[in-house]
Amino acid sequence: MAHSFKVFLFFSFFTLSIIPFSHQLQHPLDSLTPNEFIQVQSIVNRSYPGSSHNLTFQYVGLEEPNKQVVVSWLENSSTTPPPRQALVIARINHRTHEISVDLSSVGIISDRIYDGYGYPLLTFEEQTAANQLPFKYAPFLASISKRGLKIEEVVCGSFTVGWHGEEKKNRRIVKVMCYYLDGTVNLYMRPIEAITVTVDLEEMKIIHFQDRFMIPVPKAAGTDYRESEQRAPFGPQLKGITVMQPDGPSFTIDGNRVRWANWDFHLSFDARVGPIISLASIYDIERQKFRRVMYRGYLSELFVPYMDLTEEWYYRTFFDAGEYGYGLCAVPLEPLRDCPANAVFMGAFVAGQDGMPIEMPNVFCIFERNAGDVMWRHTETMIPETLVTEVRPEVSLVVRMVSTVGNYDYINDWEFKRIGSIKVTVGLTGLLEVRGSKYTHKDQINEEAYGTLLAENTLGARHDHFLTYYLDLDVDGDSNSFVKSKLKTTRVTDQSSPRKSYWKVVSETAKTESDAKIKLGLESADLLFVNPNKKTKMGNLVGYRLIPGSVTGPLLTDDDYSQVRAAFTKYNVWVTPYNRSEKWAGGLYTDQSRGDDTLATWSSRNRKIENKDIVLWYTLGFHHVPYQEDFPLMPTLSSGFELRPANFFEYNPVLKVKAPNNVKWLNCST
């Protein structure tokens, strides 16, 4: 979740910056430029003058052009690119508007009022305003004084409230919870428990206050994670090490187009989902041309339900992309810390609540990784008096972004490998969300505590993370099929072999969406996207396969209201026909949603998906049981998946790859 104290840091670091519009031809999938944000704001404001309308911009992003139009333009880029359009989600006079803006004709194409369940993204500005209200509210000030706390050391954060079976539609509200500094910057380890302030975001006023009881605020000692605040004894210090690229990087960046080795792709940024990889194609040296692998890929939603049922915690079931904006929460990357010395950095822009562009510097870094891994090798010892050894080091290209959503930092990597793989990894680190408690030792606990006692008065709450990725694979063309190749144990029933059993592959092609819904871990199978219209010289269907990482699924019941909203996490794999409007797994309006516009509801139509333009949705997850090693901050825990060629090439595509020139290691004594 996102909190206003994080927002203050965001706005003090990210300065407003307007850069001149580039006159070069724009790519249809480029993010909106600063000038385009200004243009959109002007067009909308002209239709709804501020003197007579209460207008806020909740989301502004590129209105993705029709896919076939983009593909046609790519095949003949000398033609005029598709018109640039923007999608605006605005609150106007306390109603939600979906506005499509045409930047070519400088006008509004459509303006639809949404009256259904759910609300748009929260803005940083309204969270900041909400979190300042308690400091002018007498009952809150009295509660802080009653606890003997200093008001100047208190910081507060906004929490979305979810939906828990209410029949009546709620107002746009957040619950404000507060924390205590006084000797540490690790405010999350010092919650001021049992005080809840409910704020109406439209009226921007407190509509309910509750102080249920007093619990000790956990101690500050031992919680500060800043390097400058650490005291001896220290762990063993390593000598410095870095990788040199004396000839510079092997990749090129032309606008938002990235080319490296045999890969060519487009990189853009969205306030809701962060990095978007588009038009990923790989060069086939046998065919002497680039071949499409993926039209578009990004993190669609991140569901984080906590397992604490107490009054101040039961509603903490967050949708970090749809409620807070995974891209909005991107932070500047630290050179030599977040990214190696050979990294190149890129920035992005988002729209503020007033529609004006805000610069976000260094949200991406791109670098070549040489971590000492081996791409392939073999030592041949069978040839008499001859020893043959061939080794090729693994060098890959990484695109990285870090999103800090409140207490959690998510390290997002899209890694491109010369073997043709796209490896997607997310690393979870940052700070736990803890609950203050009366307990100082585990032996005192004789009730359901919903967590682990990590330190005195500090319970680390159990919770989940489910990340759902949108992967519009176009394997050598947009007409694809989804194939589940099961590995089936087969008994030997005759005398043809002394063996008793073996396994074979039994392949099933999914005809409809219901055929493609898969809970991983129940059986052994390869999951493939194939082009049924193209085969290798050997007669195999051209394809790519999904290689999952660790497999995790939800443990909540299907009728739990939080799980109804996040029904798209029930299966690890979904496949749907391409539909430009089906982008965000949790629905367009996620705040207080009721699960009536999600990937699960779209897929319930059970549409045909064989030999169609189809989309793969993949959910990876983490069940997080906190341990003392997660206190006062968490070491990174990672998972991911890989998209890997499966009969896409005629032979190993890196057979003829040479090792990089001038690979040198520099040991820097410190």
Side-chain angles (χ1 to χ4, degrees):
M1 60 256 131
H3 301 321
S4 68
F5 34 79
K6 186 260 179 183
V7 175
F8 286 130
L9 294 173
F10 179 97
F11 279 106
S12 64
F13 193 96
F14 294 154
T15 56
L16 283 170
S17 176
I18 308 300
I19 60 175
F21 179 78
S22 172
H23 292 286
Q24 69 182 24
L25 194 64
Q26 271 188 285
H27 193 287
L29 298 179
D30 282 353
S31 308
L32 296 180
T33 66
N35 276 12
E36 287 176 324
F37 279 117
I38 295 171
Q39 191 178 8
V40 168
Q41 188 233 33
S42 175
I43 293 169
V44 175
N45 279 338
R46 195 162 58 239
S47 297
Y48 296 96
S51 58
S52 56
H53 295 89
N54 182 351
L55 165 64
T56 59
F57 292 81
Q58 308 296 130
Y59 169 85
V60 182
L62 176 72
E63 181 81 89
E64 183 183 332
N66 181 279
K67 181 176 179 179
Q68 289 306 317
V69 173
V70 174
V71 172
S72 296
W73 177 82
L74 288 170
E75 293 172 351
N76 186 11
S77 57
S78 62
T79 60
T80 303
R84 299 276 289 174
Q85 297 179 0
L87 171 64
V88 177
I89 308 296
R91 291 287 290 176
I92 304 175
N93 299 331
H94 306 324
R95 302 185 78 180
T96 299
H97 286 243
E98 296 174 23
I99 304 173
S100 291
V101 176
D102 191 302
L103 294 165
S104 303
S105 63
V106 194
I108 290 177
I109 304 170
S110 64
D111 183 350
R112 184 176 82 93
I113 295 176
Y114 175 75
D115 285 324
Y117 294 117
Y119 294 108
L121 281 170
L122 275 64
T123 68
F124 283 150
E125 293 93 331
E126 62 190 354
Q127 292 177 68
T128 299
N131 295 327
Q132 291 306 300
L133 293 178
F135 296 94
K136 299 178 181 179
Y137 190 66
F140 176 79
L141 297 176
S143 290
I144 296 299
S145 177
K146 180 174 66 175
R147 287 166 169 77
L149 305 177
K150 295 177 281 189
I151 191 65
E152 66 270 17
E153 296 291 341
V154 175
V155 290
C156 299
S158 297
F159 292 72
T160 52
V161 299
W163 172 65
H164 304 281
E166 306 91 344
E167 293 186 7
K168 184 179 177 181
K169 184 177 179 180
N170 277 332
R171 292 179 280 184
R172 284 188 75 226
I173 61 172
V174 291
K175 293 191 177 182
V176 176
M177 312 296 290
C178 299
Y179 302 83
Y180 200 54
L181 296 171
D182 198 22
T184 183
V185 296
N186 195 344
L187 49 100
Y188 290 102
M189 296 304 113
R190 307 202 74 194
I192 304 173
E193 207 64 54
I195 299 177
T196 304
V197 182
T198 305
V199 173
D200 183 323
L201 292 175
E202 303 293 330
E203 301 294 334
M204 201 49 71
K205 68 179 183 181
I206 294 172
I207 59 174
H208 185 258
F209 175 80
Q210 183 171 268
D211 183 356
R212 294 202 305 133
F213 50 80
M214 286 178 55
I215 285 288
V217 174
K219 299 174 183 176
T223 64
D224 205 313
Y225 48 82
R226 290 174 293 177
E227 188 173 0
S228 61
E229 297 301 309
Q230 305 310 308
R231 300 292 180 263
F234 295 102
Q237 186 164 359
L238 302 179
K239 294 182 178 180
I241 187 169
T242 188
V243 62
M244 298 286 290
Q245 287 189 288
D247 300 321
S250 298
F251 61 89
T252 60
I253 301 174
D254 180 10
N256 292 293
R257 183 180 181 182
V258 181
R259 282 180 265 194
W260 173 80
N262 47 354
W263 279 104
D264 187 336
F265 61 90
H266 181 275
L267 172 64
S268 61
F269 178 86
D270 178 74
R272 179 159 176 161
V273 302
I276 299 177
I277 303 294
S278 302
L279 307 173
S281 301
I282 191 165
Y283 190 75
D284 187 333
I285 60 173
E286 179 78 11
R287 301 190 186 186
Q288 294 288 294
K289 68 175 185 178
F290 278 95
R291 300 167 65 193
R292 182 72 45 77
V293 175
M294 184 174 70
Y295 179 74
R296 210 149 166 84
Y298 51 83
L299 175 66
S300 179
E301 190 53 86
L302 171 53
F303 175 49
V304 186
Y306 281 79
M307 299 298 127
D308 191 322
L309 305 187
T310 56
E311 180 70 18
E312 291 76 27
W313 281 75
Y314 75 89
Y315 56 85
R316 301 191 192 196
T317 54
F318 306 110
F319 291 73
D320 285 347
E323 293 175 341
Y324 294 106
Y326 200 69
L328 283 176
C329 294
V331 294
L333 298 171
E334 293 287 327
L336 304 181
R337 298 288 180 115
D338 285 316
C339 309
N342 61 331
V344 173
F345 293 82
M346 295 176 66
F349 287 84
V350 296
Q353 182 172 288
D354 62 358
M356 290 295 285
I358 298 174
E359 185 178 6
M360 303 177 68
N362 294 358
V363 292
F364 293 140
C365 72
I366 303 174
F367 60 92
E368 289 166 280
R369 173 183 282 159
N370 185 344
D373 296 325
V374 175
M375 183 168 65
W376 67 261
R377 79 169 322 281
H378 181 61
T379 297
E380 184 54 69
T381 61
M382 289 288 288
I383 303 173
E385 300 181 4
T386 302
L387 182 68
V388 178
T389 297
E390 286 287 332
V391 185
R392 299 293 182 273
E394 178 76 273
V395 179
S396 60
L397 184 75
V398 177
V399 176
R400 174 169 294 168
M401 187 197 84
V402 172
S403 184
T404 299
V405 191
N407 54 305
Y408 260 96
D409 294 59
Y410 296 93
I411 305 164
N412 306 271
D413 283 0
W414 287 80
E415 183 176 5
F416 296 83
K417 299 192 173 190
R418 290 179 293 174
I419 61 171
S421 286
I422 302 174
K423 187 176 181 181
V424 181
T425 306
V426 60
L428 279 59
T429 181
L431 311 169
L432 284 173
E433 192 75 76
V434 304
R435 175 161 61 90
S437 80
K438 62 184 178 182
Y439 303 116
T440 58
H441 193 279
K442 184 178 183 295
D443 291 348
Q444 299 169 347
I445 303 175
N446 55 12
E447 61 180 346
E448 175 56 77
Y450 306 112
T452 305
L453 191 66
L454 304 173
E456 291 184 1
N457 309 118
T458 306
L459 283 166
R462 305 177 193 121
H463 58 283
D464 296 323
H465 303 261
F466 294 103
L467 298 94
T468 299
Y469 287 85
Y470 173 100
L471 304 162
D472 181 5
L473 298 181
D474 281 358
V475 179
D476 217 15
D478 59 11
S479 293
N480 287 179
S481 294
F482 179 67
V483 176
K484 183 177 181 181
S485 294
K486 298 179 181 179
L487 311 186
K488 183 179 180 181
T489 300
T490 304
R491 296 213 37 107
V492 178
T493 57
D494 54 24
Q495 303 301 314
S496 61
S497 172
R499 293 273 294 275
K500 298 294 184 183
S501 64
Y502 66 105
W503 59 261
K504 63 182 180 180
V505 177
V506 179
S507 296
E508 301 173 355
T509 300
K511 307 291 185 182
T512 63
E513 290 173 276
S514 62
D515 297 335
K517 294 189 292 189
I518 296 173
K519 291 182 179 181
L520 295 173
L522 301 179
E523 58 184 353
S524 297
D526 275 4
L527 306 176
L528 300 103
F529 255 54
V530 301
N531 188 324
N533 310 298
K534 296 185 179 180
K535 296 181 179 180
T536 65
K537 294 176 182 177
M538 297 298 102
N540 295 308
L541 292 177
V542 166
Y544 258 71
R545 61 181 169 130
L546 168 68
I547 303 178
S550 58
V551 175
T552 303
L555 298 177
L556 298 177
T557 59
D558 289 347
D559 62 350
D560 189 305
Y561 296 112
S562 301
Q563 188 59 34
V564 170
R565 299 175 67 210
F568 55 89
T569 64
K570 182 175 181 178
Y571 297 95
N572 301 99
V573 174
W574 307 71
V575 179
T576 62
Y578 172 80
N579 183 323
R580 188 172 60 154
S581 68
E582 296 176 0
K583 300 191 295 184
W584 297 317
L588 179 56
Y589 300 106
T590 313
D591 180 26
Q592 298 186 45
S593 63
R594 300 194 175 187
D596 55 358
D597 178 32
T598 70
L599 169 59
T601 54
W602 310 332
S603 190
S604 65
R605 287 175 281 177
N606 202 26
R607 296 161 290 186
K608 294 180 180 180
I609 58 172
E610 185 179 15
N611 200 11
K612 304 282 187 182
D613 188 358
I614 53 178
V615 176
L616 169 66
W617 305 76
Y618 177 71
T619 296
L620 64 89
F622 302 80
H623 295 307
H624 193 170
V625 178
Y627 295 95
Q628 285 186 241
E629 289 80 3
D630 294 327
F631 177 87
L633 80 166
M634 297 173 288
T636 302
L637 179 65
S638 298
S639 187
F641 61 93
E642 185 175 350
L643 301 170
R644 191 178 180 99
N647 299 321
F648 189 83
F649 298 102
E650 294 293 341
Y651 53 84
N652 184 343
V654 290
L655 174 66
K656 299 179 182 179
V657 167
K658 296 182 179 180
N661 292 324
N662 301 319
V663 175
K664 298 177 181 178
W665 288 93
L666 177 65
N667 290 301
C668 306
S669 299
T670 56

